[in-house]
């Protein structure tokens, strides 16, 4: 019997599908994140490990898993896994890219709208002192139609953001290591800019790059200084893509207008300084936290486990 250890609660859909396979499944059912000791104990006899992207699979964890042959990361990234060590032991690693692109893109647009129309401030106002009357200059925000959006990283999520932003009347430019063809740009309604050009000319800057060596602190003090004073920085990618200390200083100094963050450099901790900023929206890493996205991710993992058991090629190997 193949042993599977799942390091966090998962949709019932996944548990039901796995129950049809010749496997024995153990699921860490606690609402609290799994501890290192619990993870090591869980993988001790496991052939397959399903792990959320918030749980580090370190060299020590791999050393405690002598039978491990497959790691399925419940998420699009793999920065939580010691990939070199896994590959050295011929452990296959798969993830779940693509299926959460729409959910993350929707949250990106939601953050842009929420910041522009001051929705968190309005909600807080109405839950406390309320308002006196409708007045011409009361609680003004901004419309996003006609505003410029700079997308850093035009993968599946970035492209979905671009389509939604264009439909809402925003002008969209993008930066990534390789520019698209002119035909691709025309189809998406976007145009290429260097990163410095994008930062200097965009009223909203949205980050959609993976966390790799070249993107750690991609947005640092020097890059923040290039941004417009009325610009808003959106991060639904990975926290360490931004130098969070530099961001806080830039916000406090009024170098940029604001930020909307779904991920954090030292997640799940959030800088106390950011919590005090009224021009910052903070959400708890909910980019793909929709029923639809999480079930689609579960289906991908289940399909890969089935393929592994049948000796077939896996999809989305890392």
């Amino acid at each position: 019997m193949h042993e599977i250890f799942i390091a966090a609660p998962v949709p019932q859909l996944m548990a039901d599908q796995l129950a049809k396979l010749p496997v024995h499944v153990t699921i860490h059912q606690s609402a609290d994140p799994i501890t290192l000791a619990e993870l090591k104990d869980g993988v001790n006899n496991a052939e397959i490990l399903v792990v959320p992207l918030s749980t580090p699979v370190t060299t020590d964890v791999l050393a405690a898993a002598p039978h491990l042959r497959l790691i399925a990361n419940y998420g699009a990234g793999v920065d939580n896994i010691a990939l070199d060590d896994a590959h050295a032991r011929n452990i296959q690693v798969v993830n779940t890219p693509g299926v959460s692109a729409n959910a993350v893109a929707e949250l990106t647009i939601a953050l842009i709208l929420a910041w522009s129309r001051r929705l968190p401030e309005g909600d807080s106002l109405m839950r406390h002192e309320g308002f006196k009357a409708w007045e011409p200059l009361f609680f003004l925000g901004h419309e996003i139609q006609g505003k410029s959006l700079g997308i850093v990283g035009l993968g599946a999520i970035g492209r979905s953001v671009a389509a939604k932003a264009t439909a809402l009347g925003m002008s969209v430019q993008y930066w990534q290591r390789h520019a698209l063809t002119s035909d691709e740009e025309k189809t998406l309604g976007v145009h290429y800019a260097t990163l410095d050009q994008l930062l200097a000319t965009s009223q909203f800057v949205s980050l959609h790059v993976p966390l790799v060596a070249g993107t750690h602190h991609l947005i640092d003090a020097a890059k923040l200084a290039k941004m417009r004073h009325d610009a808003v920085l959106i991060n639904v990618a990975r926290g360490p893509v931004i130098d969070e200390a530099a961001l806080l200083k830039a916000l406090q100094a009024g170098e940029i207008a604001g930020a909307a963050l779904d991920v954090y450099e030292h997640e799940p901790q959030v800088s106390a300084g950011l919590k005090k900023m009224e021009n910052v929206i903070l959400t708890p890493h909910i980019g793909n936290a929709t029923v639809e996205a999480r079930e689609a991710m579960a289906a991908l993992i289940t399909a890969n486990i089935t393929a592994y058991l049948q000796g077939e090629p896996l999809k989305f190997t890392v």
Side-chain angles (χ1 to χ4, degrees):
M1 184 72 73
H2 301 275
E3 291 286 339
I4 299 178
F5 181 68
I6 302 178
V10 293
Q12 189 61 42
L13 167 74
M14 184 175 184
D16 292 343
Q17 290 299 315
L18 291 177
K20 300 175 183 178
L21 301 176
V23 297
H24 177 263
V25 181
T26 303
I27 302 176
H28 179 73
Q29 292 287 11
S30 173
D32 294 325
I34 193 168
T35 66
L36 177 59
E38 290 170 332
L39 182 58
K40 286 183 175 182
D41 182 62
V43 299
N44 185 251
N45 292 313
E47 181 179 349
I48 299 169
L49 170 64
V50 179
V51 61
L53 58 83
S54 59
T55 297
V57 182
T58 62
T59 301
D60 287 346
V61 172
L62 293 175
H67 310 291
L68 196 61
R69 295 294 177 267
L70 173 64
I71 301 172
N73 210 38
Y74 205 118
V78 288
D79 47 280
N80 59 313
I81 297 174
L83 287 177
D84 289 343
D85 291 326
H87 292 157
R89 284 186 43 193
N90 293 317
I91 299 172
Q92 297 188 80
V93 179
V94 295
N95 63 347
T96 59
V99 293
S100 62
N102 182 68
V104 180
E106 284 187 355
L107 180 68
T108 303
I109 297 299
L111 290 173
I112 292 172
L113 286 166
W115 196 95
S116 299
R117 297 306 301 270
R118 303 171 62 184
L119 298 186
E121 293 175 74
D123 181 80
S124 178
L125 177 69
M126 294 308 298
R127 292 176 187 276
H128 296 93
E129 64 267 30
F131 74 109
K132 296 178 181 178
W134 184 98
E135 296 176 353
L137 300 181
F138 173 68
F139 216 79
L140 298 182
H142 290 279
E143 298 177 18
I144 66 171
Q145 180 172 288
K147 300 300 189 298
S148 57
L149 170 64
I151 297 176
V152 180
L154 205 66
I157 296 171
R159 292 182 183 218
S160 186
V161 171
K164 292 170 172 56
T166 300
L168 290 169
M170 302 185 81
S171 63
V172 181
Q173 57 185 345
Y174 74 97
W175 172 83
Q176 60 184 11
R177 287 180 297 173
H178 305 289
L180 304 178
T181 67
S182 58
D183 287 343
E184 289 174 319
E185 290 186 349
K186 185 175 180 180
T187 298
L188 291 170
V190 301
H191 64 276
Y192 178 83
T194 67
L195 181 56
D196 286 352
Q197 289 171 338
L198 181 149
L199 294 174
T201 57
S202 300
Q203 289 158 292
F204 292 90
V205 174
S206 189
L207 306 179
H208 302 284
V209 292
L211 178 60
V212 295
T215 61
H216 183 269
H217 283 189
L218 178 67
I219 305 300
D220 56 11
K223 294 300 185 187
L224 288 162
K226 295 181 183 297
M227 293 178 65
R228 295 170 50 139
H229 291 304
D230 64 347
V232 179
L233 182 61
I234 314 289
N235 191 11
V236 295
R238 289 292 184 270
V241 172
I242 298 176
D243 180 341
E244 205 165 276
L247 172 61
L248 179 57
K249 289 181 180 178
L251 290 164
Q252 291 170 335
E255 292 180 5
I256 64 174
L261 308 174
D262 186 49
V263 290
Y264 308 92
E265 184 169 5
H266 306 292
E267 195 168 307
Q269 284 74 36
V270 182
S271 166
L274 288 174
K275 292 180 181 180
K276 295 177 182 178
M277 304 298 295
E278 293 185 356
N279 57 343
V280 177
I281 296 176
L282 307 172
T283 53
H285 201 152
I286 55 172
N288 60 23
T290 66
V291 171
E292 294 84 357
R294 296 287 169 87
E295 288 190 346
M297 294 161 74
L300 278 184
I301 291 174
T302 303
N304 262 331
I305 290 175
T306 302
Y308 167 82
L309 296 175
Q310 296 175 349
E312 298 174 355
L314 307 184
K315 294 181 178 180
F316 310 115
T317 55
V318 181

